[in-house]
Amino acid sequence: MKRINYAIIAHGGAGGISYAMRRRKGLIEAISIGYGMLAQGGSSLDAVEKAAMILEDTTIFNAGTGSSCNLIGDVEMDASLMTSNLHYGAVAAIRNVRNPIHVARLVMEKTDHLLLCADGAIKFARLMGVKYYNPKTRGKMRVWENRRKQPKNSYFQRHRELVHFYGTIGVVALDMNGCIAVATSSGGITMRLPGRVGDTPVIGAGTYVDKNGGVSVTGHGEEIMRHMLAFRAVTLMARHPASVAGRQVINYATKVGCRCGLAGIDNRGQFLCYNNTRAMSWCSIKNGRLKVFTGD
Ligand code: ASP
């Protein structure tokens, strides 16, 4: 039987590499645990969910605890999970849960739906036993307060300027059985309008995977959705290795003015990781070898 080269990659958003040491620590911890699960024969779905939960709990990233605030100071989060047999679950604009990625998995496994949003998602989470949790941190409240005081441009101009705050997290893994899974979780873009949903929970935009490979995308959600970047990259993986597919998609994104980053794996275990923003932090492990980039 052919031996599958299990592997895992995670990103910490394409908005920059501030607090490099804390990013490094969070990324290494999350994917080491995910890789350990794969090494013991665990599924890529379990590995990406676990690693994403660790990243959601690490306040430096814009997901789960430490998510950025919207225009009125609320935290509304998006998350999605997908496997190479096309199982999908997502939540959008969910509030007051600790791990949106876990609720996305519950949507995948306990309902016939793909995506639940806002109050419906919260009610569903409570029904599944997920407890109330406040993911707002003082740090992100301070960012919100400072932003609020800044001279008024139009909201949409400001939205574009906030590119440096992209900090969504994503994890992609290939397991011993050849299954690929992707998890993406985001606090959204700082100062967005209440109720705004980004690319993260939209199938094919922030997350996509099929038998050829899987990709998690971060960056300017509106543009990522418009150009369906995750689906675009995965489709290319049917004909090209991951690195070629990733390069083509990032070149395309640059051409159409979409500021973003993507990380993924193809079905042979080859990674892709590209961005056209100032910097993107990421970490990967294959054949026991860890690589990490947080700019330090
Ligand atoms: N893609 C996310 C969004 O637009 C933001 C990010 O990647 O940090 O909601």
Side-chain angles (χ1 to χ4, degrees):
M1 209 174 82
K2 200 170 142 241
R3 194 177 167 276
I4 302 278
N5 224 351
Y6 58 91
I8 185 165
I9 185 167
H11 69 77
I17 43 178
S18 49
Y19 306 104
M21 284 308 286
R22 284 168 65 195
R23 275 175 194 274
R24 166 181 282 267
K25 194 166 164 279
L27 284 166
I28 293 177
E29 184 195 346
I31 77 159
S32 302
I33 289 177
Y35 188 76
M37 291 166 75
L38 297 173
Q40 283 172 14
S43 72
S44 52
L45 177 61
D46 286 344
V48 297
E49 184 196 13
K50 180 72 189 168
M53 282 169 71
I54 293 169
L55 294 171
E56 285 178 337
D57 288 345
T58 308
T59 55
I60 188 69
F61 301 108
N62 175 19
T65 308
S67 286
S68 64
C69 298
N70 65 16
L71 205 57
I72 57 169
D74 283 344
V75 167
E76 294 180 325
M77 301 167 286
D78 297 334
S80 64
L81 267 176
M82 187 170 185
T83 67
S84 45
N85 41 22
L86 306 188
H87 292 152
Y88 190 86
V91 288
I94 192 168
R95 282 173 280 114
N96 296 323
V97 296
R98 178 169 166 178
N99 294 113
I101 202 71
H102 178 61
V103 187
R105 180 157 183 181
L106 292 170
V107 173
M108 175 196 276
E109 291 180 341
K110 306 283 183 202
T111 80
D112 291 330
H113 307 307
L114 298 193
L115 170 61
L116 293 181
C117 73
D119 287 349
I122 301 167
K123 280 189 191 132
F124 167 73
R126 301 286 179 257
L127 205 69
M128 292 288 121
V130 175
K131 296 213 167 62
Y132 174 93
Y133 177 83
N134 181 0
K136 249 189 227 181
T137 58
R138 269 203 221 127
K140 290 292 158 65
M141 279 307 286
R142 262 199 305 274
V143 171
W144 176 71
E145 269 153 20
N146 291 336
R147 291 261 140 209
R148 216 162 46 127
K149 287 185 212 135
Q150 284 178 11
K152 279 216 168 37
N153 304 316
S154 89
Y155 158 74
F156 288 101
Q157 270 170 345
R158 280 210 268 165
H159 192 86
R160 279 185 173 276
E161 280 166 23
L162 295 170
V163 62
H164 300 314
F165 291 89
Y166 297 154
T168 291
I169 62 97
V171 190
V172 188
L174 167 68
D175 66 31
M176 278 180 191
N177 295 317
C179 291
I180 307 166
V182 182
T184 310
S185 181
S186 180
I189 293 182
T190 310
M191 306 305 271
R192 64 202 175 276
L193 292 177
R196 177 263 191 188
V197 171
D199 57 301
T200 301
V202 176
I203 188 166
T207 293
Y208 201 74
V209 47
D210 68 12
K211 62 181 185 346
N212 300 305
V215 169
S216 168
V217 185
T218 171
H220 191 176
E222 281 68 12
E223 296 304 321
I224 296 168
M225 281 189 266
R226 209 186 303 280
H227 297 284
M228 297 296 279
L229 290 192
F231 182 70
R232 213 172 262 276
V234 168
T235 304
L236 283 170
M237 283 192 225
R239 283 176 283 123
H240 302 286
S243 58
V244 176
R247 185 172 293 282
Q248 285 190 19
V249 170
I250 205 72
N251 289 345
Y252 170 83
T254 306
K255 211 157 62 193
V256 297
C258 172
R259 303 184 76 178
C260 62
L262 40 151
I265 303 183
D266 67 22
N267 58 10
R268 289 177 296 274
Q270 186 183 116
F271 294 125
L272 70 89
C273 189
Y274 292 100
N275 68 294
N276 59 14
T277 54
R278 202 172 47 179
M280 170 163 159
S281 53
W282 58 270
C283 186
S284 66
I285 314 184
K286 187 165 77 176
N287 298 326
R289 275 189 52 220
L290 179 129
K291 289 188 184 166
V292 58
F293 175 80
T294 52
D296 49 344

